[in-house]
Amino acid sequence: MPFPDRTGSASSEPSSGRTGISATLAVNETIERKRREGVAVLPLGFGEAGLPLHPALTRELAKAAGRNSYGPVAGSPELRAAAAGYWTRRGLPTDPELVVAGPGSKALLFGLLLALGGEVALPCPSWVSYAAQAALTGAGALPVPTPPDEGGVPDPDLLAEEVARARRAGRRVRSVVVTLPDNPTGRLAGEPTVRRLCRAARELDLLIISDEIYRDLVHDPAVAVSSPALFAPERTVITTALSKHLAAGGWRLGVARLPDSPLGHRLRAELLGIGSEIWSCAPAPVQHAAAYAFSEPPELTEHVDRSRRLHAAVARAVAARFAAAGCRVPQPQASFYLYPDFSPLAGPLADRGVRTGPELAELLLEGHGVGTLPGSAFGEPDTALRLRVATSLLYGESEEQRLQALHAPDPAGLPWIARSLDRLSEVLEEVTAPQPALTGPQPAVV
Amino acid sequence: MPFPDRTGSASSEPSSGRTGISATLAVNETIERKRREGVAVLPLGFGEAGLPLHPALTRELAKAAGRNSYGPVAGSPELRAAAAGYWTRRGLPTDPELVVAGPGSKALLFGLLLALGGEVALPCPSWVSYAAQAALTGAGALPVPTPPDEGGVPDPDLLAEEVARARRAGRRVRSVVVTLPDNPTGRLAGEPTVRRLCRAARELDLLIISDEIYRDLVHDPAVAVSSPALFAPERTVITTALSKHLAAGGWRLGVARLPDSPLGHRLRAELLGIGSEIWSCAPAPVQHAAAYAFSEPPELTEHVDRSRRLHAAVARAVAARFAAAGCRVPQPQASFYLYPDFSPLAGPLADRGVRTGPELAELLLEGHGVGTLPGSAFGEPDTALRLRVATSLLYGESEEQRLQALHAPDPAGLPWIARSLDRLSEVLEEVTAPQPALTGPQPAVV
């Protein structure tokens, strides 16, 4: 039987399988398979927080296990009030009526893009799923490079140029996504850049979607995140979730903060319409636990502080290994990601037949059991010899090891983490050391 | 600031808010608001099972509350194996590799429609969200009337005619949805109709999506559900969930069974790609409890039996009240829905200015606090004087009342249910009794 073809009408463009499963989730599944096969692996591909839940969060979910009603599409009043409080404490006063919960901020981002229609400008590089989601809505993405050494925000001048060019070509660009702090680079765009981005978005009449899921994992607690909601409040949607700072990725709970403007109110209605037809509501028992989490009791705040210190220590230690191997590595500022650039090692890599980022990631994964993602998964060209390295799955394979890492004054010195770091250095040396004479028929010595 | 308009390119058609929030969820929210305002309400609008969770299910979720990993997009191996066993015990041998879990069967249905592209043929009437989802994918729906007195399956002859007509007009129809047993009608299409539907789908090269979420709630346990997967196994996807027979709607857990054919394998890959970009995975703690549920331990099987008897008793009692008021009511065969037809009462209704289904539902809701949904919410014309009546929220307002209903030999005789039935009869009498002389200036008696 022929599979329905996709040619013909533009309405079938919303595809999917052409790119297959999300790259981050796919590398996770490959690493798990290799581990089951007994291969020694270094899991640096998947952006999971790598820590157990705080027991108080587990307790709250268990308490709410009997909640079986759908409740409002937007989420329970208690959850929306708690999320509003969370943002208000961060200098962003929030009306609970403008909070919308969903099964993960990923679902909310998809709903927002679907509600807006039109193309979305994205920083390049940026998280794998933004462009894939844009393709699923049938619209598409407009990649715009980030300023040098600042991840997560398209260069505002380039944004204006690219949007103008696209519009002259008849394309409709409606929104821009920023990631503060950033995945994949682990960098945090500074206030001047965010202000310029807001000015450009206003001039271009773009909605700003600010993905702030890593907000509470900035390594230096004295550094503030400058949300575009501060400078362009009428057009900024913020999304966040429990997945990263509270390590509850598998729970599926995200929240969006819609702007208090006519645009925001219309967008909220559209998002609720979409949510009601695709996901109904966020899981009800999880909503209860999330309300507790967003109320930020001291036990959780202290836990997030500890997690942040652990992420910082290990991310820096891994960055140092890449730097020692000859990579150029922007210093990670937040979360558990870094984005080493192998171009200084292009020569020895080319000697091994590695000329692209995907070839480099493939060599590391298949040849050495090191799972990473190439920059191309984040929208960069294949020729970019950059990798997104997630450091949080190094904390341990057992819950006991992870908890030890969480409480260690020098986590990178723990034997299992130190061994992973050493293994990483070995592999990096193997793949980047100058190549000895090639094998094959050699001319006779004369 | 102008809201981005939607005119122009077909790619922006994926809309949403134009229809607003899903009709079923909206009537639920209205009823809840009226209840909070102290209005006496009869909640017959929302398709929630109206029962507490079985304590064993709650216990399993609580046990798994600490599960915070994403795990595979398709769902955990234990959940997929359990769901495969569930179907295998129903005469549908299933490979766990062809099971895909998601946050509700609603999300899976959306993912399937998005993966397939093209238009989808729908029974008319059918569940509110199929057509809304089709619109969100940018494609659209082709409504086809059901055979007389059989809900949930488009009349196979009309299906062939309508698909041929649509294709001649250049439209691409790719799939057909059936609902077995049916929401909104509470009817179960018989095997001869399902066989004819399968033959038509094969001739037309349509994928069949069989929504079997009410499968375990057929009132007469001797009546078997004839899944199209029996007769067209190469092209039938089945979806089901925990929401209805186990009353876990707010948990968000559904599963799909893909066909074991080249089509099925390709569709699985597309669905996983879409799932990985929209929802990542079903909530991990819920997956654990769902694996337990689909393994069908005796305590849950007995609980489902009891629930089915309760749904049958109350649905029949409510149907009798509508019939006594003069409606035509097809006898409900499954779940907790009925679909009374008020056309025998069109005269007295017209005297009250009620000429359409939406006007009738509005009169009942705003005038009498009775929440139902008009047939138009299910794809019928406004002129259809039919209502979808959900009977499961009559079991009680407290968990104690609902449990009493679950264990009562004659639940319709429980005081709070009997009062609701009597109130329903009163309201029906009020809105359908022949109208006395109209108010307003009367001619003087001469």
Side-chain angles (χ1 to χ4, degrees), chain B residues 18-313:
Chain B
R18 280 176 300 191
T19 47
I21 202 166
S22 149
T24 48
L25 294 168
V27 72
N28 186 40
E29 295 190 12
T30 304
I31 282 284
E32 280 307 311
R33 181 171 45 74
K34 283 188 172 276
R35 200 195 299 269
R36 281 195 304 272
E37 290 163 6
V39 178
V41 295
L42 268 186
L44 303 172
F46 189 53
E48 195 157 45
L51 289 170
L53 292 168
H54 189 280
L57 263 185
T58 306
R59 179 195 70 213
E60 291 299 317
L61 179 57
K63 266 166 57 178
R67 299 199 178 196
N68 62 336
S69 288
Y70 294 84
V73 177
S76 70
E78 76 177 316
L79 168 56
R80 283 180 280 141
Y86 168 92
W87 277 304
T88 300
R89 285 188 294 279
R90 282 155 182 78
L92 297 162
T94 302
D95 177 355
E97 281 301 304
L98 286 162
V99 174
V100 174
S105 55
K106 190 184 259 189
L108 293 168
L109 287 163
F110 177 76
L112 288 164
L113 294 179
L114 192 55
L116 284 165
E119 294 189 36
V120 54
L122 297 178
C124 181
S126 59
W127 181 49
V128 294
S129 289
Y130 303 137
Q133 289 192 341
L136 285 175
T137 68
L142 184 72
V144 179
T146 57
D149 284 331
E150 277 190 304
V153 175
D155 181 286
D157 295 331
L158 294 178
L159 175 69
E161 278 172 36
E162 291 294 331
V163 171
R165 190 199 318 270
R167 287 180 173 166
R168 280 196 303 272
R171 293 159 64 189
R172 300 183 319 141
V173 188
R174 289 287 164 78
S175 55
V176 56
V177 170
V178 300
T179 319
L180 296 168
D182 186 37
N183 167 19
T185 63
R187 303 287 291 170
L188 175 64
E191 182 179 319
T193 304
V194 174
R195 282 185 183 272
R196 285 173 54 225
L197 184 276
C198 289
R199 206 172 310 128
R202 193 172 278 144
E203 280 161 14
L204 297 162
D205 195 13
L206 298 177
L207 183 93
I208 303 168
I209 299 174
S210 186
D211 179 350
E212 301 181 7
I213 197 167
Y214 299 100
R215 178 178 189 119
D216 295 338
L217 295 180
V218 177
H219 296 164
D220 178 350
V223 170
V225 172
S226 298
S227 173
L230 294 168
F231 314 120
E234 82 288 358
R235 64 183 61 243
T236 300
V237 179
I238 304 176
T239 61
T240 191
L242 303 183
S243 321
K244 307 303 174 184
H245 65 297
L246 289 169
W251 278 14
R252 312 314 304 131
L253 192 293
V255 282
R257 175 189 184 273
L258 282 296
D260 191 2
S261 64
L263 167 71
H265 288 268
R266 281 195 297 272
L267 193 54
R268 174 183 180 275
E270 295 254 337
L271 181 60
L272 291 180
I274 288 169
S276 79
E277 300 300 3
I278 304 182
W279 58 75
S280 297
C281 61
V286 176
Q287 287 190 44
H288 170 79
Y292 167 79
F294 283 118
S295 75
E296 299 184 277
E299 53 191 346
L300 287 194
T301 308
E302 194 229 11
H303 176 74
V304 173
D305 279 344
R306 240 185 240 287
S307 310
R308 176 206 291 137
R309 286 196 294 270
L310 170 61
H311 297 316

Side-chain angles (χ1 to χ4, degrees), chain A residues 1-12 14-23 25 28-29 46-49 51-53 57-59 61-74 103-104 106-108 110 114-118 127-130 132-133 136-139 172 174 205-207 234-235 243-244 246-252 262-263 266-267 269-286, chain B residues 1-12 14-23 25 28-29 46-49 51-53 57-59 61-74 103-104 106-108 110 114-118 127-130 132-133 136-139 172 174 205-207 234-235 243-244 246-252 262-263 266-267 269-286:
Chain A
M1 169 181 169
F3 193 65
D5 79 273
R6 301 185 154 282
T7 55
S9 110
S11 65
S12 76
S15 175
S16 54
R18 279 174 301 191
T19 47
I21 203 168
S22 148
L25 295 168
N28 187 40
E29 296 191 12
F46 189 51
E48 195 157 44
L51 289 169
L53 293 168
L57 263 185
T58 306
R59 178 195 70 215
L61 179 56
K63 267 167 56 179
R67 300 200 178 195
N68 62 336
S69 287
Y70 294 84
V73 177
K106 189 183 260 188
L108 293 168
F110 177 76
L114 191 56
L116 284 164
W127 181 49
V128 294
S129 289
Y130 302 137
Q133 290 192 341
L136 286 176
T137 69
R172 300 183 318 140
R174 290 284 164 80
D205 196 13
L206 298 177
L207 182 93
E234 82 289 357
R235 64 182 63 243
S243 322
K244 306 304 176 185
L246 290 168
W251 277 16
R252 312 315 302 132
L263 167 71
R266 280 195 298 271
L267 193 54
E270 295 254 339
L271 181 59
L272 291 180
I274 288 169
S276 78
E277 301 299 4
I278 304 182
W279 58 75
S280 296
C281 61
V286 175
Chain B
M1 169 182 172
F3 192 66
D5 79 273
R6 302 188 153 280
T7 55
S9 109
S11 65
S12 75
S15 174
S16 55
R18 280 176 300 191
T19 47
I21 202 166
S22 149
L25 294 168
N28 186 40
E29 295 190 12
F46 189 53
E48 195 157 45
L51 289 170
L53 292 168
L57 263 185
T58 306
R59 179 195 70 213
L61 179 57
K63 266 166 57 178
R67 299 199 178 196
N68 62 336
S69 288
Y70 294 84
V73 177
K106 190 184 259 189
L108 293 168
F110 177 76
L114 192 55
L116 284 165
W127 181 49
V128 294
S129 289
Y130 303 137
Q133 289 192 341
L136 285 175
T137 68
R172 300 183 319 141
R174 289 287 164 78
D205 195 13
L206 298 177
L207 183 93
E234 82 288 358
R235 64 183 61 243
S243 321
K244 307 303 174 184
L246 289 169
W251 278 14
R252 312 314 304 131
L263 167 71
R266 281 195 297 272
L267 193 54
E270 295 254 337
L271 181 60
L272 291 180
I274 288 169
S276 79
E277 300 300 3
I278 304 182
W279 58 75
S280 297
C281 61
V286 176

Side-chain angles (χ1 to χ4, degrees), chain A residues 91-222:
Chain A
L92 297 161
T94 302
D95 177 355
E97 281 301 304
L98 286 163
V99 174
V100 174
S105 55
K106 189 183 260 188
L108 293 168
L109 286 162
F110 177 76
L112 288 164
L113 294 179
L114 191 56
L116 284 164
E119 295 190 35
V120 53
L122 298 179
C124 181
S126 59
W127 181 49
V128 294
S129 289
Y130 302 137
Q133 290 192 341
L136 286 176
T137 69
L142 185 71
V144 179
T146 56
D149 285 330
E150 276 190 306
V153 175
D155 181 286
D157 295 331
L158 293 179
L159 175 69
E161 280 174 34
E162 292 293 331
V163 170
R165 190 200 317 270
R167 286 180 174 167
R168 279 196 304 273
R171 293 158 65 188
R172 300 183 318 140
V173 189
R174 290 284 164 80
S175 55
V176 55
V177 170
V178 300
T179 319
L180 296 168
D182 185 38
N183 167 19
T185 64
R187 303 286 292 169
L188 175 64
E191 182 179 317
T193 303
V194 174
R195 281 186 184 273
R196 286 173 53 226
L197 184 276
C198 289
R199 205 172 311 127
R202 193 172 278 144
E203 280 162 14
L204 297 162
D205 196 13
L206 298 177
L207 182 93
I208 303 169
I209 299 175
S210 185
D211 178 351
E212 301 181 6
I213 197 167
Y214 300 99
R215 176 178 192 120
D216 295 337
L217 295 180
V218 178
H219 297 165
D220 179 350

Side-chain angles (χ1 to χ4, degrees), chain A residues 234-428:
Chain A
E234 82 289 357
R235 64 182 63 243
T236 300
V237 179
I238 305 177
T239 61
T240 191
L242 303 183
S243 322
K244 306 304 176 185
H245 65 295
L246 290 168
W251 277 16
R252 312 315 302 132
L253 192 294
V255 282
R257 175 188 184 272
L258 282 295
D260 191 2
S261 64
L263 167 71
H265 288 268
R266 280 195 298 271
L267 193 54
R268 173 182 180 276
E270 295 254 339
L271 181 59
L272 291 180
I274 288 169
S276 78
E277 301 299 4
I278 304 182
W279 58 75
S280 296
C281 61
V286 175
Q287 287 190 44
H288 170 80
Y292 167 80
F294 283 118
S295 74
E296 300 184 277
E299 53 191 348
L300 287 193
T301 307
E302 194 228 12
H303 177 73
V304 173
D305 280 344
R306 238 184 242 286
S307 310
R308 176 207 291 137
R309 287 197 294 271
L310 170 62
H311 296 317
V314 176
R316 285 174 193 157
V318 176
R321 298 303 177 112
F322 279 95
C327 297
R328 192 181 161 276
V329 196
Q331 182 71 357
Q333 294 172 290
S335 75
F336 32 77
Y337 300 121
L338 42 134
Y339 202 63
D341 184 347
F342 282 68
S343 47
L345 300 163
L349 287 172
D351 291 345
R352 284 167 179 80
V354 169
R355 289 184 173 78
T356 68
E359 286 167 359
L360 176 57
E362 175 79 6
L363 172 66
L364 289 170
L365 181 60
E366 295 302 333
H368 303 273
V370 179
T372 64
L373 286 171
S376 57
F378 301 88
E380 295 225 74
D382 276 359
T383 49
L385 282 172
R386 285 182 278 279
L387 300 177
R388 202 284 306 265
V389 172
T391 55
S392 46
L393 294 184
L394 299 181
Y395 303 155
E397 294 199 10
S398 65
E399 180 161 327
E400 195 196 336
Q401 284 185 335
R402 293 175 192 143
L403 287 174
Q404 265 187 271
L406 190 63
H407 290 88
D410 172 25
L414 289 171
W416 56 93
I417 299 181
R419 269 199 305 275
S420 290
L421 292 169
D422 291 343
R423 172 72 189 140
L424 175 64
S425 291
E426 266 171 46
V427 170
L428 291 175

